[in-house]
Structure formats: C-alpha cells, structure tokens
Amino acid sequence: MERADVLKNYAAFEAMRAELEADHLGQFAVLHGGQLIGTYVSIREARIAGNALCGVGNFTTQEIRPEPVDLGMIAAALI
C-alpha cells in the first residue's frame, strides 16, 4: 500500500471520527480507497475482513478511540 493511500484513509477516518466514536467506540475501522469498509470488535476480525474484502495488505485499520487531549507542559510537570 502506498503512503498516499494510507494518508487518504487516515484523512477519511479523521473526517468521520466523531460519528465513529459515537457509534463504534472501542472497535476497529477498516478503510480502503478513502472509504470505510466496516467496523469490527477486534483487530483480528478487522484484519481478516480487510484481507478478504480488499486484498492482503491493501487496506488500513484504525482503532476507534477518543483522540488524546494535550494538556500541555503543566500536565507534564505534574507527572
């Protein structure tokens, strides 16, 4: 898979992140060609589905979880 394809899939994921977090938090998204192929309960299920539907290695998977919040230097100093 080319870098451009990975970036396209990631941009598509980011565009739908809020909806995916609301409906599929904790699952794994499979993306191909900038399109969501499906969401799956485990990374294993996502990889199996991606290989079957898109071809071996011709897709990306992304865990659906809240984006980390950067609390800045003050938070780092408190750790």
Coordinates of all heavy atoms in Angstrom, one line a residue:
M1 N 0.8 -1.2 0.0 CA 0.0 0.0 0.0 C 0.9 1.2 0.0 O 1.8 1.3 0.8 CB -0.9 -0.1 1.2 CG -1.8 1.1 1.4 SD -3.2 0.7 2.5 CE -4.5 1.2 1.4
E2 N 0.6 2.2 -0.9 CA 1.4 3.4 -1.0 C 1.1 4.4 0.1 O 0.0 4.4 0.7 CB 1.1 4.1 -2.3 CG 1.4 3.2 -3.5 CD 2.9 3.1 -3.7 OE1 3.6 4.0 -3.4 OE2 3.3 2.0 -4.2
R3 N 2.0 5.2 0.4 CA 1.9 6.2 1.5 C 0.7 7.1 1.2 O -0.1 7.4 2.2 CB 3.1 7.1 1.6 CG 3.1 8.1 2.7 CD 4.5 8.8 2.9 NE 4.5 9.6 4.1 CZ 4.1 10.8 4.2 NH1 3.6 11.4 3.1 NH2 4.2 11.5 5.3
A4 N 0.5 7.5 0.0 CA -0.7 8.3 -0.4 C -2.0 7.7 0.0 O -2.9 8.3 0.4 CB -0.6 8.7 -1.9
D5 N -2.1 6.3 -0.2 CA -3.3 5.6 0.1 C -3.5 5.6 1.7 O -4.7 5.8 2.1 CB -3.2 4.1 -0.3 CG -3.1 4.1 -1.9 OD1 -3.8 4.8 -2.5 OD2 -2.4 3.2 -2.3
V6 N -2.5 5.4 2.4 CA -2.6 5.5 3.9 C -3.0 6.8 4.3 O -3.9 6.9 5.2 CB -1.2 5.1 4.5 CG1 -1.3 5.3 6.0 CG2 -0.8 3.7 4.2
L7 N -2.5 7.9 3.8 CA -2.9 9.2 4.2 C -4.3 9.5 3.8 O -5.0 10.2 4.5 CB -1.9 10.3 3.5 CG -0.5 10.2 4.0 CD1 0.4 11.2 3.2 CD2 -0.4 10.5 5.5
K8 N -4.7 9.0 2.6 CA -6.1 9.2 2.2 C -7.1 8.5 3.2 O -8.1 9.1 3.6 CB -6.3 8.6 0.8 CG -7.7 8.8 0.2 CD -7.7 8.3 -1.2 CE -9.0 8.5 -1.9 NZ -9.1 8.0 -3.3
N9 N -6.7 7.3 3.6 CA -7.6 6.6 4.5 C -7.6 7.2 5.9 O -8.7 7.3 6.5 CB -7.1 5.1 4.7 CG -7.4 4.3 3.5 OD1 -8.2 4.6 2.6 ND2 -6.8 3.1 3.4
Y10 N -6.5 7.8 6.3 CA -6.4 8.4 7.6 C -7.3 9.7 7.6 O -8.0 10.0 8.5 CB -5.0 8.7 8.0 CG -4.9 9.2 9.5 CD1 -5.2 8.4 10.5 CD2 -4.7 10.6 9.7 CE1 -5.2 8.9 11.8 CE2 -4.6 11.0 11.0 CZ -4.9 10.2 12.1 OH -4.9 10.7 13.3
A11 N -7.2 10.5 6.5 CA -8.0 11.7 6.4 C -9.5 11.3 6.4 O -10.3 12.1 7.0 CB -7.6 12.4 5.1
A12 N -9.8 10.3 5.7 CA -11.2 9.8 5.7 C -11.7 9.4 7.1 O -12.8 9.8 7.6 CB -11.5 8.7 4.8
F13 N -10.8 8.7 7.9 CA -11.1 8.3 9.2 C -11.3 9.6 10.1 O -12.2 9.7 10.9 CB -10.0 7.5 9.8 CG -10.2 7.1 11.3 CD1 -11.0 6.1 11.6 CD2 -9.5 7.8 12.2 CE1 -11.2 5.8 13.0 CE2 -9.7 7.6 13.6 CZ -10.5 6.6 14.0
E14 N -10.4 10.5 10.0 CA -10.5 11.8 10.8 C -11.8 12.5 10.5 O -12.4 13.1 11.4 CB -9.3 12.7 10.6 CG -8.0 12.2 11.2 CD -8.2 12.2 12.8 OE1 -8.8 13.1 13.3 OE2 -7.7 11.2 13.4
A15 N -12.2 12.5 9.2 CA -13.5 13.2 8.8 C -14.7 12.6 9.5 O -15.7 13.2 9.7 CB -13.6 13.2 7.3
M16 N -14.6 11.3 9.7 CA -15.8 10.6 10.3 C -15.6 10.2 11.8 O -16.4 9.5 12.4 CB -16.2 9.4 9.5 CG -15.1 8.3 9.3 SD -15.6 6.9 8.3 CE -15.1 7.5 6.7
R17 N -14.5 10.6 12.4 CA -14.1 10.2 13.7 C -15.2 10.4 14.7 O -15.5 9.5 15.5 CB -12.9 11.0 14.2 CG -12.5 10.6 15.6 CD -11.4 11.6 16.2 NE -10.1 11.3 15.7 CZ -9.3 10.3 16.3 NH1 -9.7 9.6 17.3 NH2 -8.1 10.1 15.8
A18 N -15.9 11.6 14.8 CA -16.9 11.9 15.8 C -18.1 10.9 15.7 O -18.5 10.3 16.7 CB -17.4 13.3 15.6
E19 N -18.5 10.6 14.4 CA -19.6 9.6 14.2 C -19.1 8.2 14.7 O -19.9 7.5 15.3 CB -20.0 9.6 12.8 CG -21.1 8.7 12.5 CD -21.5 8.7 11.0 OE1 -21.2 9.7 10.3 OE2 -22.1 7.7 10.5
L20 N -17.9 7.8 14.3 CA -17.4 6.5 14.7 C -17.3 6.4 16.2 O -17.6 5.3 16.8 CB -16.1 6.2 14.0 CG -16.2 6.0 12.5 CD1 -14.8 6.0 11.9 CD2 -16.9 4.7 12.2
E21 N -16.8 7.4 16.8 CA -16.7 7.4 18.3 C -18.0 7.2 19.0 O -18.2 6.6 20.0 CB -16.0 8.6 18.8 CG -14.5 8.6 18.5 CD -13.8 9.9 19.0 OE1 -14.5 10.8 19.6 OE2 -12.6 10.0 18.8
A22 N -19.0 7.9 18.4 CA -20.4 7.9 19.0 C -21.0 6.5 18.9 O -21.7 6.0 19.8 CB -21.3 8.9 18.3
D23 N -20.7 5.8 17.7 CA -21.4 4.6 17.4 C -20.6 3.3 17.6 O -21.1 2.2 17.7 CB -22.0 4.6 16.0 CG -23.0 5.7 15.8 OD1 -23.7 6.1 16.8 OD2 -23.2 6.1 14.7
H24 N -19.2 3.4 17.5 CA -18.4 2.2 17.5 C -17.1 2.3 18.4 O -16.1 1.7 18.1 CB -18.0 2.0 16.0 CG -19.1 1.8 15.1 ND1 -19.9 0.7 15.0 CD2 -19.6 2.7 14.2 CE1 -20.8 0.9 14.1 NE2 -20.7 2.1 13.6
L25 N -17.2 3.1 19.5 CA -16.1 3.3 20.3 C -15.5 1.9 20.8 O -16.2 1.0 21.2 CB -16.5 4.1 21.5 CG -15.4 4.7 22.4 CD1 -14.5 5.6 21.6 CD2 -15.9 5.4 23.6
G26 N -14.2 1.8 20.7 CA -13.5 0.6 21.1 C -13.4 -0.4 20.0 O -12.8 -1.5 20.2
Q27 N -14.0 -0.2 18.9 CA -13.9 -1.1 17.8 C -12.8 -0.7 16.8 O -12.0 0.2 17.1 CB -15.2 -1.2 17.0 CG -16.4 -1.8 17.9 CD -17.6 -1.9 17.1 OE1 -17.7 -1.7 15.9 NE2 -18.7 -2.3 17.8
F28 N -12.6 -1.4 15.7 CA -11.6 -1.1 14.7 C -12.2 -0.9 13.4 O -13.1 -1.7 12.9 CB -10.6 -2.3 14.7 CG -9.9 -2.5 15.9 CD1 -10.4 -3.2 17.0 CD2 -8.6 -1.9 16.1 CE1 -9.7 -3.4 18.2 CE2 -7.9 -2.1 17.3 CZ -8.5 -2.8 18.4
A29 N -11.8 0.2 12.7 CA -12.3 0.5 11.4 C -11.4 0.0 10.3 O -10.2 0.0 10.5 CB -12.4 2.0 11.3
V30 N -12.0 -0.5 9.2 CA -11.2 -0.9 8.1 C -11.5 0.1 7.0 O -12.7 0.4 6.7 CB -11.6 -2.4 7.6 CG1 -10.9 -2.7 6.3 CG2 -11.2 -3.4 8.6
L31 N -10.4 0.7 6.4 CA -10.6 1.7 5.3 C -9.8 1.3 4.1 O -8.7 0.7 4.2 CB -10.1 3.0 5.8 CG -10.9 3.6 7.0 CD1 -10.1 3.5 8.3 CD2 -11.4 5.0 6.8
H32 N -10.4 1.6 3.0 CA -9.8 1.3 1.7 C -10.2 2.3 0.7 O -11.4 2.6 0.6 CB -10.2 -0.1 1.2 CG -9.8 -0.4 -0.2 ND1 -8.5 -0.8 -0.5 CD2 -10.5 -0.5 -1.3 CE1 -8.4 -1.0 -1.8 NE2 -9.6 -0.8 -2.3
G33 N -9.3 2.9 0.0 CA -9.6 3.9 -1.0 C -10.4 5.1 -0.5 O -11.2 5.8 -1.1
G34 N -10.1 5.5 0.8 CA -10.7 6.6 1.4 C -12.1 6.4 1.9 O -12.8 7.3 2.2
Q35 N -12.5 5.1 1.9 CA -13.9 4.7 2.3 C -13.8 3.8 3.5 O -13.0 2.9 3.5 CB -14.6 4.0 1.1 CG -14.7 4.9 -0.2 CD -15.7 6.0 0.0 OE1 -16.7 5.9 0.6 NE2 -15.3 7.2 -0.5
L36 N -14.8 3.9 4.3 CA -15.0 3.0 5.4 C -15.6 1.7 4.9 O -16.6 1.7 4.3 CB -15.9 3.6 6.5 CG -16.2 2.7 7.7 CD1 -15.0 2.4 8.5 CD2 -17.4 3.3 8.5
I37 N -14.9 0.6 5.1 CA -15.3 -0.7 4.7 C -16.2 -1.4 5.7 O -17.2 -2.0 5.4 CB -14.1 -1.7 4.4 CG1 -13.2 -1.0 3.3 CG2 -14.6 -3.1 3.9 CD1 -14.0 -0.7 2.0
G38 N -15.8 -1.2 7.0 CA -16.6 -1.7 8.1 C -16.0 -1.5 9.4 O -14.8 -1.0 9.5
T39 N -16.7 -1.8 10.5 CA -16.1 -1.7 11.8 C -16.2 -3.1 12.5 O -17.2 -3.8 12.2 CB -16.9 -0.7 12.7 OG1 -18.2 -1.0 12.8 CG2 -16.7 0.7 12.1
Y40 N -15.3 -3.4 13.3 CA -15.2 -4.8 13.8 C -14.8 -4.7 15.3 O -14.1 -3.8 15.7 CB -14.1 -5.6 13.0 CG -14.5 -5.7 11.6 CD1 -14.1 -4.7 10.7 CD2 -15.4 -6.6 11.1 CE1 -14.5 -4.7 9.4 CE2 -15.8 -6.7 9.8 CZ -15.4 -5.7 8.9 OH -15.8 -5.7 7.6
V41 N -15.2 -5.7 16.1 CA -15.0 -5.7 17.5 C -13.5 -5.9 17.9 O -13.1 -5.4 18.9 CB -15.9 -6.8 18.2 CG1 -15.6 -7.0 19.6 CG2 -17.3 -6.5 17.9
S42 N -12.8 -6.7 17.1 CA -11.4 -6.9 17.4 C -10.5 -6.6 16.2 O -10.9 -6.6 15.1 CB -11.2 -8.4 17.8 OG -11.3 -9.3 16.7
I43 N -9.2 -6.4 16.5 CA -8.3 -6.1 15.4 C -8.1 -7.4 14.5 O -8.0 -7.3 13.3 CB -6.9 -5.7 16.0 CG1 -5.9 -5.3 14.9 CG2 -6.2 -6.8 16.8 CD1 -6.3 -4.0 14.2
R44 N -8.2 -8.5 15.1 CA -8.2 -9.8 14.4 C -9.3 -9.9 13.3 O -9.1 -10.2 12.2 CB -8.2 -11.0 15.3 CG -8.1 -12.3 14.6 CD -8.0 -13.5 15.6 NE -7.6 -14.7 14.9 CZ -8.5 -15.5 14.4 NH1 -9.8 -15.2 14.4 NH2 -8.1 -16.6 13.8
E45 N -10.5 -9.6 13.8 CA -11.7 -9.6 12.9 C -11.5 -8.5 11.8 O -11.8 -8.8 10.6 CB -13.0 -9.3 13.6 CG -13.4 -10.5 14.5 CD -14.7 -10.2 15.3 OE1 -15.3 -9.1 15.0 OE2 -15.0 -10.9 16.2
A46 N -11.0 -7.4 12.1 CA -10.8 -6.3 11.2 C -9.8 -6.7 10.1 O -10.0 -6.5 8.9 CB -10.3 -5.0 11.9
R47 N -8.7 -7.3 10.5 CA -7.6 -7.8 9.6 C -8.1 -8.9 8.7 O -7.9 -8.9 7.5 CB -6.4 -8.2 10.3 CG -5.7 -7.2 11.2 CD -5.0 -6.1 10.5 NE -4.0 -6.7 9.7 CZ -3.3 -5.9 8.8 NH1 -3.6 -4.7 8.6 NH2 -2.3 -6.5 8.1
I48 N -8.9 -9.8 9.2 CA -9.5 -10.9 8.4 C -10.4 -10.3 7.4 O -10.4 -10.7 6.2 CB -10.1 -12.0 9.3 CG1 -9.1 -12.7 10.1 CG2 -11.0 -12.9 8.5 CD1 -9.7 -13.6 11.2
A49 N -11.3 -9.4 7.8 CA -12.3 -8.8 6.9 C -11.5 -8.0 5.8 O -11.9 -8.0 4.6 CB -13.2 -8.0 7.7
G50 N -10.6 -7.2 6.2 CA -9.8 -6.4 5.3 C -9.1 -7.2 4.2 O -9.2 -6.9 3.0
N51 N -8.5 -8.3 4.7 CA -7.8 -9.2 3.7 C -8.8 -9.8 2.7 O -8.6 -9.8 1.5 CB -7.0 -10.3 4.4 CG -5.8 -9.8 5.0 OD1 -5.1 -8.8 4.6 ND2 -5.4 -10.4 6.1
A52 N -10.0 -10.2 3.2 CA -11.0 -10.8 2.4 C -11.7 -9.8 1.4 O -11.9 -10.1 0.3 CB -12.0 -11.5 3.3
L53 N -11.9 -8.6 1.9 CA -12.7 -7.6 1.1 C -11.8 -6.7 0.2 O -12.3 -6.3 -0.8 CB -13.5 -6.8 2.1 CG -14.6 -7.5 2.9 CD1 -15.2 -6.6 3.9 CD2 -15.7 -8.1 2.0
C54 N -10.6 -6.5 0.6 CA -9.7 -5.5 -0.1 C -8.5 -6.1 -0.7 O -7.8 -5.5 -1.4 CB -9.3 -4.4 0.9 SG -10.7 -3.6 1.7
G55 N -8.1 -7.3 -0.3 CA -6.9 -7.9 -0.7 C -5.9 -7.8 0.4 O -5.9 -6.9 1.2
V56 N -5.0 -8.8 0.5 CA -4.0 -8.8 1.6 C -3.2 -7.5 1.6 O -2.5 -7.2 0.6 CB -3.1 -10.1 1.4 CG1 -2.0 -10.0 2.5 CG2 -3.9 -11.3 1.5
G57 N -3.2 -6.8 2.7 CA -2.5 -5.6 3.0 C -2.9 -4.4 2.2 O -2.2 -3.4 2.2
N58 N -4.0 -4.5 1.5 CA -4.5 -3.4 0.7 C -5.5 -2.5 1.4 O -6.5 -2.1 0.8 CB -5.0 -3.9 -0.6 CG -5.1 -2.9 -1.7 OD1 -4.5 -1.9 -1.7 ND2 -6.0 -3.1 -2.7
F59 N -5.3 -2.3 2.7 CA -6.3 -1.5 3.5 C -5.6 -1.0 4.7 O -4.4 -1.4 5.0 CB -7.5 -2.4 3.9 CG -7.1 -3.6 4.7 CD1 -7.1 -3.6 6.1 CD2 -6.6 -4.8 4.1 CE1 -6.7 -4.7 6.8 CE2 -6.2 -5.9 4.8 CZ -6.2 -5.8 6.2
T60 N -6.2 -0.2 5.5 CA -5.7 0.2 6.8 C -6.7 -0.1 7.9 O -7.9 -0.1 7.6 CB -5.3 1.7 6.8 OG1 -6.5 2.5 6.5 CG2 -4.2 2.1 5.8
T61 N -6.2 -0.2 9.1 CA -7.1 -0.4 10.2 C -6.8 0.7 11.2 O -5.7 1.2 11.3 CB -6.9 -1.8 10.9 OG1 -5.6 -1.9 11.3 CG2 -7.3 -2.9 10.0
Q62 N -7.8 1.2 11.9 CA -7.7 2.3 12.8 C -8.6 2.0 14.0 O -9.7 1.7 13.9 CB -8.1 3.6 12.2 CG -7.9 4.8 13.0 CD -6.5 5.2 13.2 OE1 -5.7 5.1 12.2 NE2 -6.1 5.5 14.4
E63 N -8.0 2.0 15.2 CA -8.7 1.8 16.4 C -9.6 3.0 16.6 O -9.1 4.2 16.5 CB -7.8 1.6 17.6 CG -8.6 1.3 18.9 CD -7.7 1.0 20.1 OE1 -6.5 1.1 20.0 OE2 -8.3 0.7 21.1
I64 N -10.9 2.8 17.0 CA -11.8 3.9 17.2 C -11.8 4.2 18.7 O -12.3 3.5 19.5 CB -13.2 3.5 16.7 CG1 -13.2 3.2 15.3 CG2 -14.2 4.7 17.0 CD1 -14.4 2.5 14.8
R65 N -11.1 5.3 19.0 CA -11.0 5.7 20.4 C -10.9 7.2 20.4 O -10.5 7.9 19.4 CB -9.8 5.1 21.1 CG -8.5 5.4 20.4 CD -7.3 4.6 21.0 NE -6.2 4.8 20.2 CZ -5.0 5.3 20.6 NH1 -4.9 5.7 21.9 NH2 -4.0 5.5 19.8
P66 N -11.2 7.8 21.6 CA -11.1 9.3 21.6 C -9.7 9.8 21.3 O -8.7 9.1 21.7 CB -11.5 9.6 23.1 CG -12.2 8.4 23.6 CD -11.7 7.2 22.8
E67 N -9.6 10.9 20.7 CA -8.3 11.5 20.4 C -7.7 12.0 21.7 O -8.5 12.6 22.5 CB -8.5 12.7 19.4 CG -7.2 13.2 18.9 CD -7.5 14.2 17.7 OE1 -8.6 14.5 17.5 OE2 -6.5 14.5 17.1
P68 N -6.5 11.7 21.9 CA -5.9 12.2 23.2 C -5.9 13.7 23.3 O -5.8 14.4 22.3 CB -4.4 11.7 23.1 CG -4.2 11.1 21.8 CD -5.5 11.0 21.1
V69 N -6.1 14.2 24.5 CA -6.1 15.6 24.8 C -4.7 16.0 25.3 O -4.2 15.4 26.2 CB -7.2 15.9 25.8 CG1 -7.2 17.4 26.2 CG2 -8.6 15.5 25.4
D70 N -4.2 17.0 24.6 CA -2.9 17.5 25.0 C -3.1 18.6 26.1 O -3.7 19.6 25.9 CB -2.2 18.1 23.8 CG -0.8 18.7 24.2 OD1 -0.3 18.4 25.3 OD2 -0.1 19.3 23.3
L71 N -2.6 18.3 27.3 CA -2.8 19.2 28.4 C -1.6 20.1 28.6 O -1.6 20.9 29.5 CB -3.1 18.4 29.7 CG -4.3 17.5 29.7 CD1 -4.4 16.7 31.0 CD2 -5.5 18.3 29.5
G72 N -0.6 20.0 27.7 CA 0.5 20.9 27.7 C 1.6 20.6 28.8 O 1.6 19.6 29.4
M73 N 2.4 21.6 29.0 CA 3.6 21.5 29.8 C 3.2 21.3 31.3 O 3.9 20.7 32.1 CB 4.5 22.6 29.6 CG 5.3 22.6 28.3 SD 6.3 21.1 28.1 CE 7.5 21.4 29.3
I74 N 2.1 22.0 31.7 CA 1.7 21.9 33.1 C 1.4 20.5 33.5 O 1.8 20.0 34.6 CB 0.6 22.9 33.4 CG1 1.0 24.3 33.2 CG2 0.0 22.7 34.8 CD1 -0.1 25.4 33.3
A75 N 0.7 19.8 32.7 CA 0.3 18.4 33.0 C 1.6 17.6 33.0 O 1.7 16.7 33.8 CB -0.6 17.9 31.9
A76 N 2.5 17.8 32.1 CA 3.7 17.0 32.1 C 4.5 17.3 33.3 O 5.2 16.3 33.9 CB 4.6 17.4 30.9
A77 N 4.5 18.5 33.9 CA 5.3 18.8 35.1 C 4.6 18.1 36.3 O 5.3 17.8 37.3 CB 5.3 20.3 35.3
L78 N 3.3 17.8 36.3 CA 2.6 17.2 37.4 C 2.9 15.7 37.5 O 2.6 15.1 38.5 CB 1.1 17.5 37.3 CG 0.8 19.0 37.4 CD1 -0.7 19.2 37.2 CD2 1.2 19.5 38.8
I79 N 3.3 15.1 36.4 CA 3.5 13.7 36.4 C 4.7 13.2 37.1 O 5.6 13.6 37.5 CB 3.6 13.2 34.9 CG1 2.3 13.4 34.2 CG2 4.0 11.7 34.9 CD1 2.2 13.1 32.8

